């Protein structure tokens, strides 16, 4: 069983790894042709084109034209490489401070950019997360989200809890979209085709007596309407994220208002 000290040392190790605090001082002489940054870039390229399952020290070494042992001079393990890859995948720019002070618009933009980042690197949603962001890119995104949540009137502890929730919603939405996209491609179609097939399948088994609410959904052609709308805008759960995010933001607004009025 992992002890608390071991967990802390792993998180401390991630900080050192991601900020390059674990590397030896540069020596005089020619600059090495291989670097940690080059290893991580190659690993990300392999994951982007072949999926995270294809990433191994041996595969990345082959991509770079080096021996596997050469990589271990720059990255100690595949686990460390995955930690570095996740932060590298977050190199997109998070939203900056808004001049109009509209924290809701800022958070909606934050969520959409997070989804776009996951779409650019779909493998990233399948890599386990061992803790909160530790690297320079992850902390930039954390800072951006916290800034808008604090602007809403939440205290910093409350803001952190809500950022965890929004991060989970965007990450799981991106993972669901990636899973559905994989399944649709395997079946030789698209996610829109899958939604339509699902609706047709349900109509064969759903009765108003056993599943009254689902039967009503089918009667009102909700799935067909959503599939039609998705067809126009590329489809996927991420395209339907706005409704849920806005209800979360509504909840924050109501909570802050009540707290200011002395009700919470």
């Amino acid at each position: 069983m992992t002890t608390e000290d071991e967990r802390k040392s792993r998180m401390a190790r991630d900080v050192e790894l991601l900020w390059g605090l674990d590397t030896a001082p540069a020596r005089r002489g020619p600059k090495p042709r291989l670097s940690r940054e080059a290893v991580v870039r190659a690993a990300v390229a392999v994951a982007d084109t072949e999926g995270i399952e294809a990433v191994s020290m041996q595969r990345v070494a082959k991509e770079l034209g080096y021996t596997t042992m050469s990589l271990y001079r720059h990255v100690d393990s595949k686990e460390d490489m995955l930690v570095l890859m996740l932060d590298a995948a977050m190199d997109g720019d998070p939203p900056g401070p808004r001049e109009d002070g509209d924290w809701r618009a800022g958070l909606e933009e934050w969520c959409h950019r997070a989804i776009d980042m996951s779409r650019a690197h779909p493998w990233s949603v399948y890599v386990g997360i061992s803790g909160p962001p530790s690297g320079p890119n992850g902390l930039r995104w954390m800072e951006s989200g916290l800034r808008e949540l604090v602007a809403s009137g939440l205290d910093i502890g409350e803001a952190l809890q809500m950022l965890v929730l929004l991060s989970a919603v965007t990450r799981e939405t991106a993972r669901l979209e990636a899973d559905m996209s994989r399944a649709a491609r395997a079946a030789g179609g698209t996610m829109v085709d899958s939604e339509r097939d699902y609706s047709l399948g349900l109509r064969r088994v759903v009765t108003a007596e056993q599943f009254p609410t689902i039967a009503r959904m089918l009667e009102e052609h909700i799935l067909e309407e959503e599939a039609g709308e998705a067809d126009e805008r590329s489809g996927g759960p991420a395209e339907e994220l706005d409704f849920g995010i806005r209800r979360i933001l509504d909840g924050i607004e109501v909570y802050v208002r009540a707290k200011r009025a002395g009700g919470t």
Side-chain angles (χ1 to χ4, degrees), residues 14 27 56 85 208 211 219 225-226:
D14 285 352
R27 293 179 296 178
S56 67
M85 288 171 65
F211 305 105
E219 256 180 48
E225 287 176 11
E226 289 191 353

Side-chain angles (χ1 to χ4, degrees), residues 81-174:
M81 187 159 64
L82 290 173
V83 170
L84 291 163
M85 288 171 65
L86 272 180
D87 194 68
M90 299 177 73
D91 65 351
D93 290 328
R98 295 184 63 88
E99 293 183 4
D100 60 7
D102 188 343
W103 61 270
R104 289 187 60 124
L107 287 169
E108 286 189 42
E109 184 182 2
W110 189 94
C111 290
H112 280 284
R113 288 205 197 179
I115 288 285
D116 288 343
M117 195 165 50
S118 296
R119 282 174 166 168
H121 304 287
W123 55 267
S124 63
V125 298
Y126 297 107
V127 179
I129 297 175
S130 59
S134 301
N137 290 327
L139 289 179
R140 287 191 304 112
W141 279 89
M142 185 177 180
E143 173 66 26
S144 175
L146 283 176
R147 182 189 63 239
E148 300 302 336
L149 285 161
V150 169
S152 76
L154 296 176
D155 65 38
I156 193 68
E158 294 165 341
L160 182 59
Q161 291 182 58
M162 293 311 303
L163 187 62
V164 170
L165 174 62
L166 291 171
S167 298
V169 168
T170 53
R171 179 179 168 85
E172 289 308 306
T173 299

Side-chain angles (χ1 to χ4, degrees), residues 34-252:
L34 188 61
S35 66
R36 175 175 286 178
E37 291 74 18
V39 171
V40 175
R41 279 197 303 271
V44 169
V46 169
D48 284 347
T49 56
E50 301 175 31
I52 195 63
E53 302 85 359
V55 175
S56 67
M57 299 296 274
Q58 184 178 13
R59 176 67 184 84
V60 175
K62 180 181 178 182
E63 185 78 6
L64 289 163
Y66 283 84
T67 64
T68 304
M69 288 307 298
S70 299
L71 266 63
Y72 284 106
R73 299 192 187 109
H74 304 279
V75 181
D76 289 344
S77 65
K78 181 180 175 181
E79 182 182 17
D80 281 1
M81 187 159 64
L82 290 173
V83 170
L84 291 163
M85 288 171 65
L86 272 180
D87 194 68
M90 299 177 73
D91 65 351
D93 290 328
R98 295 184 63 88
E99 293 183 4
D100 60 7
D102 188 343
W103 61 270
R104 289 187 60 124
L107 287 169
E108 286 189 42
E109 184 182 2
W110 189 94
C111 290
H112 280 284
R113 288 205 197 179
I115 288 285
D116 288 343
M117 195 165 50
S118 296
R119 282 174 166 168
H121 304 287
W123 55 267
S124 63
V125 298
Y126 297 107
V127 179
I129 297 175
S130 59
S134 301
N137 290 327
L139 289 179
R140 287 191 304 112
W141 279 89
M142 185 177 180
E143 173 66 26
S144 175
L146 283 176
R147 182 189 63 239
E148 300 302 336
L149 285 161
V150 169
S152 76
L154 296 176
D155 65 38
I156 193 68
E158 294 165 341
L160 182 59
Q161 291 182 58
M162 293 311 303
L163 187 62
V164 170
L165 174 62
L166 291 171
S167 298
V169 168
T170 53
R171 179 179 168 85
E172 289 308 306
T173 299
R175 179 153 58 181
L176 178 61
E177 182 176 89
D179 285 343
M180 291 174 65
S181 180
R182 280 183 176 184
R185 286 198 305 271
T190 66
M191 283 188 285
V192 174
D193 296 327
S194 295
E195 286 186 22
R196 287 175 175 146
D197 291 344
Y198 174 64
S199 177
L200 290 172
L202 285 186
R203 290 179 185 280
R204 299 177 62 187
V205 297
V206 168
T207 64
E209 293 74 27
Q210 192 173 11
F211 305 105
T213 312
I214 298 174
R216 179 183 168 191
M217 177 183 72
L218 293 172
E219 256 180 48
E220 295 181 11
H221 301 284
I222 301 300
L223 293 175
E224 288 89 341
E225 287 176 11
E226 289 191 353
E229 291 171 5
D231 209 1
E232 295 176 1
R233 59 177 193 254
S234 83
E239 299 292 355
E240 300 164 6
L241 184 66
D242 285 347
F243 179 80
I245 292 298
R246 287 169 185 166
R247 301 299 73 78
I248 292 173
L249 302 185
D250 286 346
I252 292 173

